[in-house]
Amino acid sequence: MESRDREPLVRKTSSSYHTFPEGTARRLDKEYLRSLHNKRLYLAVFAAVLGNFSFGFALVYPSPVIPALEAHPSPALRLDQHTAPWFGSVFTLGAAAGGLSTMLLNDCLGRKLSIMFSALPSALGYALLAGAQGLWMLLPGRGVTGYAGGVTSASIPVYISEISHPGVRGMLGACPQIMAVLGSLVLYALGLVLDWRWLAVAGEVPVLAMVLLLCFMPNSPRFLLSQGKEEEALGSLCWLRGQDTDYAREYEQIKDSVRKQSRRVSCAELKDPFLYKPILISGLMRFLQQLSGVTCILVYLQPIFKKTSVILKAEYDAALVGLVRLSAVAIAAVSMDKAGRKILLFVSAGVMLVSNLTMGLYIHFEPASHNGTVANTTLVSSANLPAEPTNYITLIPLLATMLFIMGYAMGWGPITWLLMSEILPLKARGVASGLCVLVSWLTAFTLTQFFLPVVNAFGLQVPFLFFAVISAGNILFTGCCVPETKGRSLEQIEAFFRTGRRSFLR
């Protein structure tokens, strides 16, 4: 549709525009949502979340690789109990740096170009891993792929929330987590048949596909409006919603919201609850998400299963857990716009509490009789020992881990990312999302770096009991601090924090 055809429609709808529609306007909103064509929106989301696929693939890369490198014949590539923690944790340090740089990239390059930029360090990191001749290539390779993951972690949820409409934003907001889970599952599956070098080569494929597809996708209408590119923003929204829909009305809502937040955030404004409350909630959610132990468990999944002598081979257990994780996050995506965010967060935290408590108590009370030969070994060295199950009770660690991953994937996994992109105000969204990712991955780095030393010094049950305590805290935090955003536009959510009137979120 040409610009001269759009302008009368925009002028006509702006006179009847209300930021928070009541009565008839609310009914018109529902009719508008039903009239939208979502195929192109889904395509744009798919192109973006290929970055999350690569992120999930890279995150769990150490799980099958650490055992292989511990037994490697070359001393230059061989990992021990001192270097293995760094191989597992340096990824999260790189991700923290990626989140920090995205505070600038999101607002300078835009959401889409930031995602595309992440392909450069990702491709470089996989190349270093594939051709590694020693730790001097392995560790930088992990670090640079982590940096790419930090950039996508901060950019993709924001991009998806800004191009989506309230009718599908919950479902699409879960897609980054779904694709990250799928990437991890594919890594576990390929780890059964591919050498660790070829695993790194396989990681290049989704990176290339992401860049090629994103070349044909539009930028976020909200970002374009914040840059003063009104015509391009209207064209982007037209492409995403369909030319024969009343997209101009939504365009006016977005334009009005961007106009109110056109200035940069000043230090004095940070005292405003409209800014500091959503930033604080988002940051604390990312902090608690990582403290629940998910990154440690995913990175050291196969060594954990070896340590607890589960009845199946550790590599098959890891693939099974990945499959359960994918199923759970798919269920969350379907139910998020129906059940709501908070109820899923409550259920998720409760399930994680039960599973972590079960795992901790099992390891504490059954260390000798069912962990046999690995009871007195380190977690890393136990990865090379064959599992020697003596009883079906050794299924408990597998079932508890599957329960934990299922609980995490149906709530605190996808919803934490979604809420971050929903509640952060537009004027601070680029910087604040990067800050939240920085907090998240610094926490993950600290946990993954100290997980193995704590296990070797105090036992595997200690971190799991700690994770259980954090999960209980997640329940309290959800009840006291997290708003319900189901079915609300980003403009309505911003109005809630600006005015404190809960009627906007009912």
Side-chain angles (χ1 to χ4, degrees), residues 292 297 348-366 396-397 399-401 403-405 460-472 475:
S292 68
I297 293 173
S348 173
V351 171
M352 289 193 295
L353 170 61
V354 171
S355 59
N356 279 323
L357 193 59
T358 301
M359 189 75 159
L361 293 176
Y362 168 84
I363 296 168
H364 178 72
F365 289 110
E366 300 289 338
I396 290 178
L399 295 176
T401 305
L403 187 65
F404 170 82
I405 293 298
L460 187 56
Q461 71 274 17
V462 172
F464 280 99
L465 293 176
F466 171 76
F467 299 152
V469 173
I470 296 299
S471 298
I475 296 175

Side-chain angles (χ1 to χ4, degrees), residues 427-498:
K427 67 192 305 181
R429 194 169 291 157
V431 172
S433 62
L435 180 63
C436 290
V437 171
L438 175 66
V439 169
S440 174
W441 292 114
L442 282 179
T443 308
F445 169 75
T446 304
L447 286 176
T448 50
Q449 179 64 21
F450 289 100
F451 181 79
L452 293 180
V454 167
V455 168
N456 295 333
F458 304 104
L460 187 56
Q461 71 274 17
V462 172
F464 280 99
L465 293 176
F466 171 76
F467 299 152
V469 173
I470 296 299
S471 298
N474 289 355
I475 296 175
L476 296 177
F477 180 80
T478 300
C480 297
C481 304
V482 179
E484 178 57 75
T485 59
K486 181 187 74 170
R488 299 295 121 201
S489 68
L490 298 184
E491 289 68 39
Q492 288 173 307
I493 295 169
E494 288 181 0
F496 164 70
F497 285 105
R498 182 181 290 113

Side-chain angles (χ1 to χ4, degrees), residues 43-55:
L43 179 60
V45 170
F46 173 75
V49 296
L50 284 172
N52 293 106
F53 182 96
S54 179
F55 166 77

Side-chain angles (χ1 to χ4, degrees), residues 103-320:
M103 295 169 67
L104 296 176
L105 291 175
N106 260 345
D107 288 332
C108 295
L109 296 181
R111 291 45 159 152
K112 189 186 86 166
L113 289 181
S114 295
I115 300 169
M116 296 179 72
F117 167 78
S118 72
L120 295 176
S122 185
L124 174 61
Y126 283 127
L128 285 172
L129 290 170
Q133 299 301 311
L135 282 177
W136 63 275
M137 293 181 71
L138 285 174
L139 295 183
R142 288 285 293 156
V144 223
T145 52
Y147 176 84
V151 173
T152 57
S153 297
S155 302
I156 294 175
V158 175
Y159 177 71
I160 292 175
S161 72
E162 291 188 353
I163 66 174
S164 303
H165 55 81
V168 295
R169 197 175 61 244
M171 178 185 68
L172 296 182
C175 287
Q177 185 69 15
I178 290 177
M179 290 299 282
V181 171
L182 185 60
S184 298
L185 178 60
V186 169
L187 185 281
Y188 291 139
L190 291 178
L192 299 174
V193 295
L194 291 182
D195 175 76
W196 60 275
R197 292 188 188 275
W198 283 105
L199 283 177
V201 173
E204 301 276 12
V205 176
V207 176
L208 178 61
M210 177 192 72
V211 172
L212 291 176
L213 285 175
L214 280 177
C215 288
F216 303 98
M217 299 301 116
N219 218 321
S220 156
R222 287 174 174 82
F223 171 75
L224 292 171
L225 282 171
S226 71
Q227 301 298 302
K229 301 177 181 179
E230 296 189 8
E231 186 65 26
E232 193 175 342
L234 188 59
S236 171
L237 196 63
C238 173
W239 190 90
L240 290 165
R241 302 292 185 259
Q243 195 172 17
D244 58 343
T245 63
D246 187 18
Y247 62 89
R249 185 171 183 272
E250 182 183 357
Y251 171 80
E252 286 298 312
Q253 293 180 8
I254 298 171
K255 186 177 179 181
D256 184 73
S257 176
V258 171
R259 179 181 54 79
K260 291 177 181 177
Q261 303 181 57
S262 58
R263 293 180 297 107
R264 294 279 182 181
V265 179
S266 65
C267 293
E269 286 180 300
L270 290 177
K271 300 178 182 178
D272 189 344
F274 165 63
L275 288 177
Y276 78 76
K277 280 188 176 180
I279 293 175
L280 195 58
I281 291 172
S282 298
L284 284 173
M285 286 194 75
R286 299 306 304 272
F287 179 66
L288 291 171
Q289 179 197 47
Q290 289 297 341
L291 279 185
S292 68
V294 62
T295 302
C296 293
I297 293 173
L298 291 176
V299 169
Y300 301 119
L301 193 56
Q302 288 192 29
I304 288 172
F305 283 147
K306 289 285 187 180
K307 178 75 173 178
T308 52
S309 293
V310 289
I311 201 167
L312 301 174
K313 289 184 178 180
E315 52 269 32
Y316 294 111
D317 292 324
L320 188 59

Side-chain angles (χ1 to χ4, degrees), residues 12-88:
K12 180 179 178 181
T13 56
S14 62
S15 62
S16 60
Y17 160 72
H18 300 283
T19 306
F20 310 108
E22 301 288 343
T24 303
R26 189 182 296 274
R27 187 180 68 252
L28 291 174
D29 274 357
K30 292 181 179 178
E31 293 175 356
Y32 168 65
L33 293 178
R34 286 195 293 267
S35 71
L36 297 178
H37 308 303
N38 292 322
K39 290 182 179 179
R40 288 181 173 178
L41 172 61
Y42 294 160
L43 179 60
V45 170
F46 173 75
V49 296
L50 284 172
N52 293 106
F53 182 96
S54 179
F55 166 77
F57 190 96
L59 175 65
V60 300
Y61 182 76
S63 183
V65 173
I66 285 178
L69 290 181
E70 277 214 308
H72 201 280
S74 171
L77 289 168
R78 192 178 305 135
L79 296 180
D80 56 30
Q81 61 181 324
H82 302 292
T83 54
W86 278 104
F87 185 72

